[in-house]
Amino acid sequence: MTGRFISFEGIDGAGKSTHIQAVADWFRARGADVQLSREPGGTPLAEALRDLVLREAMGSLTEVLLMFAGRRDHVETVIKPALAAGKTLLCDRFTDASFAYQGGGRGLPLAVLDTLADWVQEGTEPELTLWFDLPAEQAAARRASAREADRIEQLDLDFFERVRAAYAARAAQAPGRIVRIDASGTVAEVGAAVLNVLQARYPAC
Ligand code: TYD
């Protein structure tokens, strides 16, 4: 039995966290056994690494190694077992975020990220990724009214435009997996776009 692995991506402030709950409800209403998780984090070890990586000053390579260290633990102890049990695993961020933030934002070589992803995931990959796309300026305005910034969220607009461009490049490389959602509308509009994707993708559900 294999479950479904679906990830949610976008720059900080794009609103993805708001819509994960609606996706969970959609699958639950259709009888799926839904499990929610997130990265960085998702296991006790990876959550401890998350606290460090979002608070402590560190170099870019250290940052990406901690992201992938947490991811390894998450894949082995949470994601693989959930999929083996036939669950629908909804993950708030996964490897695309490393390509976007550490690759696009920090400028780390994509070849290094490809190698880390191969080692860490061993083929475990989302079947669908919803990418909530929004201009960096609009996302910053939403963040400013919503919460206090962590170490990464404090970076400037140029950083987030690079992150956004890297998500776009990733989506162009994996058009069958990564679906772009225009996140510039109201919560209701974006929610409707998400439901359209789910209905088209899982018609038998
Ligand atoms: P996020 O889920 O947006 O946290 P919250 O919504 O609670 O603020 O993720 C935290 C940050 O981690 C976010 O700025 C993106 C960053 N991140 C990376 O830089 N690389 C990664 O591989 C992942 C998974 C996240």
Side-chain angles (χ1 to χ4, degrees):
M1 194 151 74
T2 48
R4 293 185 196 97
F5 180 15
I6 301 174
S7 64
F8 298 76
E9 298 282 357
I11 58 176
D12 295 275
K16 67 184 162 45
S17 306
T18 309
H19 297 287
I20 294 177
Q21 209 55 55
V23 173
D25 291 343
W26 190 89
F27 277 110
R28 283 194 183 113
R30 284 154 185 80
D33 187 357
V34 174
Q35 187 173 334
L36 297 171
S37 199
R38 70 168 181 181
E39 289 200 355
T43 73
L45 173 62
E47 290 289 334
L49 293 174
R50 175 191 174 97
D51 279 346
L52 288 173
V53 88
L54 295 183
R55 285 202 179 88
E56 303 288 331
M58 64 185 71
S60 303
L61 184 55
T62 309
E63 182 177 282
V64 81
L65 291 170
L66 292 179
M67 293 290 182
F68 274 100
R71 181 164 299 132
R72 175 64 181 180
D73 193 49
H74 191 212
V75 166
E76 275 193 300
T77 68
V78 171
I79 298 176
K80 279 188 181 169
L83 297 179
K87 294 187 181 178
T88 294
L89 186 94
L90 306 181
C91 196
D92 189 341
R93 299 191 184 282
F94 193 62
T95 298
D96 295 309
S98 300
F99 279 85
Y101 282 79
Q102 282 70 48
R106 303 287 196 200
L108 286 173
L110 299 187
V112 170
L113 299 179
D114 276 325
T115 302
L116 287 169
D118 284 350
W119 274 54
V120 163
Q121 291 171 236
E122 291 179 313
T124 299
E125 173 116 275
E127 64 178 43
L128 172 65
T129 297
L130 297 178
W131 164 42
F132 294 84
D133 184 35
L134 191 68
E137 208 163 348
Q138 227 178 311
R142 284 188 188 172
R143 288 202 304 278
S145 61
R147 61 195 182 213
E148 209 171 302
D150 62 36
R151 188 174 66 87
I152 290 175
E153 287 170 346
Q154 286 166 10
L155 294 163
D156 60 18
L157 276 184
D158 281 354
F159 176 88
F160 282 103
E161 276 303 345
R162 289 198 301 278
V163 173
R164 184 188 185 203
Y167 272 128
R170 232 22 218 159
Q173 279 167 6
R177 173 174 67 86
I178 303 178
V179 177
R180 178 182 176 273
I181 304 281
D182 178 352
S184 66
T186 62
V187 171
E189 285 165 350
V190 178
V194 169
L195 289 189
N196 278 341
V197 172
L198 294 179
Q199 276 153 5
R201 196 83 175 202
Y202 302 102
C205 256

